[in-house]
Amino acid sequence: MSLFYRSTRDDSVKVTASQAILKGLAPDGGLFVPDSIPALDKSLEELSKMSYKEVAYEVMKLMLDDFTEEELKNCIDRAYDSKFDTEEIAPLVKAEGAYFLELFHGATIAFKDMALSILPHLLTTSAKKNNVKNEIVILTATSGDTGKAALAGFADVPGTKIIVFYPKNGVSPIQEKQMVTQKGANTHVIGIKGNFDDAQTGVKKIFGDKELEKVMNEAGFQFSSANSINIGRLVPQIVYYVYAYSRLLANGEIQKDEKINVVVPTGNFGNILAAFYAKNMGLPINKLICASNENKVLYDFFTTGEYNRNREFVLTTSPSMDILISSNLERLIYRIAGNSAAKNSELMSSLKDTGKYEITSEMKAQLADFYGNYATEAENAGTIKSIYDSCGYVIDTHTSVAATVYNKYKEETKDDTKTVIASTASPYKFTRSVMNAIDSKYDSMGDFELVDELCKISKVKVPQAIEDIRTAPVLHKTVCEVEEMSNEVKKFLGI
Ligand SMILES: *Cc1c(COP(=O)(O)O)cnc(C)c1O
């Protein structure tokens, strides 16, 4: 065992991978980062002959090196099974001159399943390894997709409870229906009267409440997180970039060591950070293209070096990216500051106090791997329609942000490097926005009528996740003020 995780805000914190997974967030409010990024120890050609699960093992064993081979393989086997509707787990679809990496074949039809189907196993294994006797309470803020994927992953997992907060008016109708119909006595879903940033900030505050931690501990509970601030979310996300590359190589689409671009529709910066880690593990990636919707705080950051959340929060048709505080960016900031907890803490305090910070020119120079741009609502709808019209392939509103930004990138740079676009959700999850983009005549139809229409035009079978909620009863009706979040947690736990 040689890899340790450190806090982005305090140099003295040093824990193993399993401890980092258990804690979620460092005690000082920082995020855990590996003290170095290990290099892949299998060649890309070897990887190209492996299954998804085998690639997963090769990547994850390096990042989670205090897990035994048996423990890790066991977690992987239990995660990537028939919960996915294809044996490939993450298939690549060639369309419009790019490769769409479909990350939505899991139980809740968004890419969050890629990590959240394994996180419960990583977490319960970590608890065992560290002799934790407390019940683990997963506390999660969601912009729509994490919540359902985490609920599905943790429902009825012994030794765990899960509490999900979502913005009551900030998710799609299907997303909300998926969450409020969740079964499992250990699940609790609450709408808040606020946006995703309010939910995320509220959750972080509960995590930092030392008094509550004491009361929890006495009652036999401890918190952990299913958000992408947990390294147990991030590490499984590295896998599919390596897998995608290995498939392109296996299928003769690229030559050995040929570089590819990766485009990621970005919100909390977790998915694209995983691609950045993949690149640092040795995967031949040229540009990491960060695609934003009209909440374009990251685009502005990459162009100016200033991160500024002081702006209007826009509700868009890609709600899972409606975020002004991209938590995982902190991991990149720490790194480009030369792994300096002091510098990072200074910038994060500034973000907390003034809503903004500016990086130095030395730090900015290290962002050359990244390209940022954004898509307006109109451009986004236009891309869904034009891809459908030209080849019959229907993409969701988040993937469309990525496809739009990729078009802008090509236009601007003339770069013709082969490119993988992370396709983060099934169009069935955002049926109304997707169908409206294709034809305004769908506007008057009901949510499930639209599902059937989408099936007709895309010739893709309606996913089980959608069939399941057609008639499912609503089981979670609580809505609360942001200030009440902590009380709701206490009520559910009976403390
Ligand atoms: C969560 C999510 C995103 C954003 O991913 P981040 O890791 O938060 O940047 C994009 N698309 C969909 C469909 C999502 O659910």
Side-chain angles (χ1 to χ4, degrees):
M1 197 172 80
S2 58
L3 189 69
F4 288 95
Y5 285 79
R6 293 185 184 276
S7 165
T8 52
R9 297 192 193 177
D10 180 354
D11 285 324
S12 69
V13 175
K14 182 180 169 188
V15 299
T16 62
S18 64
Q19 288 166 343
I21 289 172
L22 272 172
K23 286 194 185 336
L25 204 63
D28 48 77
L31 307 190
F32 287 112
V33 281
D35 55 11
S36 65
I37 298 183
L40 291 168
D41 63 4
K42 290 285 186 310
S43 73
L44 296 165
E45 278 159 316
E46 284 171 285
L47 292 164
S48 73
K49 299 189 179 75
M50 293 182 188
S51 67
Y52 190 89
K53 286 188 197 179
E54 288 165 336
V55 173
Y57 176 70
E58 293 304 326
V59 172
M60 292 176 64
K61 73 172 190 199
L62 300 169
M63 296 291 288
L64 307 179
D65 73 347
D66 69 328
F67 283 67
T68 66
E69 178 172 349
E70 192 194 344
E71 285 168 343
L72 193 52
K73 285 191 169 163
N74 187 25
C75 292
I76 291 170
D77 280 339
R78 290 161 70 178
Y80 303 110
D81 60 8
S82 59
K83 289 192 281 304
F84 287 77
D85 67 9
T86 158
E87 238 169 77
E88 284 176 279
I89 307 295
L92 272 175
V93 174
K94 196 172 178 177
E96 291 287 288
Y99 302 90
F100 288 83
L101 177 61
E102 293 190 348
L103 301 171
F104 54 75
H105 288 270
T108 74
I109 61 175
F111 93 95
K112 305 295 196 295
D113 290 322
M114 301 302 297
L116 283 163
S117 31
I118 193 165
L119 183 67
H121 305 296
L122 295 175
L123 199 69
T124 45
T125 307
S126 298
K128 249 184 249 149
K129 292 175 77 64
N130 291 280
N131 293 317
V132 169
K133 300 280 182 288
N134 282 341
E135 191 162 5
I136 311 268
V137 180
I138 302 295
L139 197 58
T140 293
T142 185
S143 55
D145 291 330
T146 288
K148 180 61 188 185
L151 287 162
F154 282 97
D156 295 323
V157 171
T160 71
K161 288 195 189 323
I162 172 160
I163 304 171
V164 169
F165 290 101
Y166 73 96
K168 176 69 187 156
N169 296 316
V171 300
S172 85
I174 302 252
Q175 283 179 313
E176 181 168 38
K177 190 94 199 275
Q178 279 187 304
M179 288 190 280
V180 297
T181 56
Q182 179 65 46
K183 294 186 199 125
N186 67 336
T187 67
H188 195 41
V189 180
I190 305 159
I192 64 150
K193 294 183 191 159
N195 62 35
F196 171 72
D197 286 326
D198 297 325
Q200 178 159 259
T201 305
V203 161
K204 281 190 180 168
K205 211 161 120 196
I206 298 173
F207 269 115
D209 185 340
K210 296 280 180 271
E211 190 54 37
L212 180 60
E213 186 181 334
K214 216 174 111 217
V215 178
M216 292 264 298
N217 202 25
E218 281 160 10
F221 295 117
Q222 71 187 60
F223 285 128
S224 188
S225 167
N227 281 105
S228 55
I229 52 174
N230 194 320
I231 200 79
R233 270 279 299 274
L234 216 46
V235 171
Q237 293 180 183
I238 303 172
V239 173
Y240 46 75
Y241 292 108
V242 177
Y243 180 73
Y245 188 95
S246 77
R247 282 325 91 164
L248 290 174
L249 190 59
N251 299 338
E253 300 283 346
I254 53 172
Q255 304 296 312
K256 183 171 172 286
D257 298 331
E258 184 174 338
K259 287 194 173 176
I260 61 166
N261 294 324
V262 172
V263 193
V264 186
T266 298
N268 224 359
F269 210 74
N271 202 2
I272 194 164
L273 188 76
F276 176 72
Y277 281 0
K279 179 175 166 117
N280 284 279
M281 291 179 91
L283 198 68
I285 293 177
N286 174 39
K287 283 284 175 191
L288 297 153
I289 299 171
C290 177
S292 301
N293 65 20
E294 288 181 7
N295 294 292
K296 59 183 183 55
V297 69
L298 287 166
Y299 163 69
D300 293 339
F301 170 71
F302 282 116
T303 31
T304 66
E306 185 192 60
Y307 193 94
N308 189 343
R309 60 153 300 194
N310 300 313
R311 60 182 75 202
E312 203 189 324
F313 186 98
V314 188
L315 288 175
T316 72
T317 51
S318 45
S320 304
M321 296 160 64
D322 289 345
I323 292 174
L324 294 180
I325 307 173
S326 297
S327 288
N328 274 293
L329 187 66
E330 178 169 347
R331 290 187 160 111
L332 183 66
I333 296 295
Y334 171 83
R335 191 179 162 93
I336 61 175
N339 294 340
S340 166
K343 180 69 188 172
N344 176 64
S345 298
E346 176 197 317
L347 297 179
M348 293 307 134
S349 301
S350 166
L351 179 63
K352 185 157 176 271
D353 299 339
T354 68
K356 59 185 181 178
Y357 61 80
E358 188 162 5
I359 59 171
T360 64
S361 50
E362 295 80 44
M363 288 168 75
K364 190 156 187 273
Q366 293 181 63
L367 294 177
D369 286 344
F370 290 90
Y371 167 93
N373 213 326
Y374 72 102
T376 65
E377 287 291 273
E379 289 169 332
N380 204 11
T383 303
I384 293 175
K385 181 166 173 55
S386 82
I387 296 184
Y388 171 67
D389 285 345
S390 81
C391 64
Y393 186 54
V394 182
I395 59 174
D396 97 289
T397 46
H398 302 74
T399 309
S400 172
V401 170
T404 304
V405 165
Y406 177 51
N407 288 339
K408 291 186 181 183
Y409 170 79
K410 270 192 301 192
E411 186 80 6
E412 221 172 86
T413 63
K414 311 290 176 218
D415 178 12
D416 61 359
T417 303
K418 306 240 169 68
T419 296
V420 168
I421 295 177
S423 182
T424 50
S426 159
Y428 280 103
K429 201 155 189 174
F430 302 94
T431 327
R432 180 163 298 283
S433 305
V434 167
M435 296 304 276
N436 275 343
I438 289 172
D439 195 326
S440 59
K441 76 177 181 197
Y442 294 118
D443 205 27
S444 58
M445 292 186 186
D447 287 331
F448 286 98
E449 244 179 300
L450 284 175
V451 163
D452 296 328
E453 288 299 315
L454 174 54
C455 180
K456 273 187 223 154
I457 67 159
S458 67
K459 303 184 182 63
V460 173
K461 191 169 164 275
V462 178
Q464 192 57 41
I466 298 294
E467 295 296 359
D468 287 348
I469 57 167
R470 277 190 201 259
T471 53
V474 172
L475 301 173
H476 303 271
K477 294 184 182 149
T478 311
V479 177
C480 78
E481 302 287 341
V482 175
E483 297 72 33
E484 288 296 307
M485 288 171 63
S486 182
N487 278 342
E488 283 300 326
V489 169
K490 290 185 202 155
K491 246 197 278 173
F492 178 60
L493 297 177
I495 56 176

